[in-house]
Amino acid sequence: MNESVRVTRPKTLHIVTDHKVGGVRSNLESLLDSRLALDFEFASSLIDHSNYVLRTRPVDLIVFHSACSWANVSRLFALKKHARLIIQEHHYCDSFDSLVPSQSRFFMMLRLCYSLADQ
């Protein structure tokens, strides 16, 4: 008897701030067409809908594509309860810290956000 073995792919949820054409969207679309799609099940959600998605669909990994901010600290804390968390940080550059009113407050926020992430 030849029974097929069903292999479960890890479920990965990408959380974005919008679905407009741009770098994050094109990055996600390239993932769907890549070889990684054979090994992982990918989904995306707008940040405001992520709690609903996570209540209805358990995931193994969450990739957060929004900028770290004080407003997102509580979101990251809530997301961390559901799965491993990766922050895809592409919002700040080396010289960005010179533009913020309080560097110590900015770095404290980054440390707090990054401490919630697994990577």
Side-chain angles (χ1 to χ4, degrees), residues 12 38 41-43 48-50 63 67 76 79 82 99 111 117:
T12 303
L38 299 173
E41 182 180 324
F42 294 118
D48 294 335
H49 301 275
S50 59
V63 181
L76 289 169
L79 292 172
H82 293 278
L99 303 174
R111 280 192 299 277

Side-chain angles (χ1 to χ4, degrees), residues 6-114:
R6 182 180 171 100
V7 177
T8 304
R9 297 177 298 163
K11 294 174 178 68
T12 303
L13 178 64
H14 291 266
I15 297 179
V16 297
T17 52
D18 64 54
H19 284 300
K20 296 177 186 169
V21 175
V24 173
R25 181 176 171 186
S26 63
N27 184 0
L28 292 178
E29 288 173 355
S30 70
L31 276 175
L32 295 174
D33 294 333
S34 75
R35 229 178 90 67
L36 286 173
L38 299 173
D39 298 323
F40 295 89
E41 182 180 324
F42 294 118
S44 66
S45 171
L46 290 173
I47 195 168
D48 294 335
H49 301 275
S50 59
N51 285 333
Y52 172 77
V53 171
L54 290 167
R55 280 195 311 268
T56 60
R57 181 177 190 219
V59 299
D60 301 298
L61 178 67
I62 298 168
V63 181
F64 189 75
H65 292 274
S66 184
C68 289
S69 66
W70 286 108
N72 282 334
V73 170
S74 60
R75 287 181 171 135
L76 289 169
F77 187 76
L79 292 172
K80 179 68 177 169
K81 295 178 189 179
H82 293 278
R84 292 181 48 86
L85 179 63
I86 294 176
I87 296 175
Q88 170 89 37
E89 185 61 79
H90 46 84
H91 299 88
Y92 304 120
C93 60
D94 287 337
S95 60
F96 186 87
D97 60 344
S98 65
L99 303 174
V100 298
S102 171
Q103 288 184 354
S104 61
R105 186 174 185 272
F106 174 69
F107 287 124
M108 182 171 54
M109 178 273 302
L110 287 179
R111 280 192 299 277
L112 183 56
C113 288
Y114 294 161

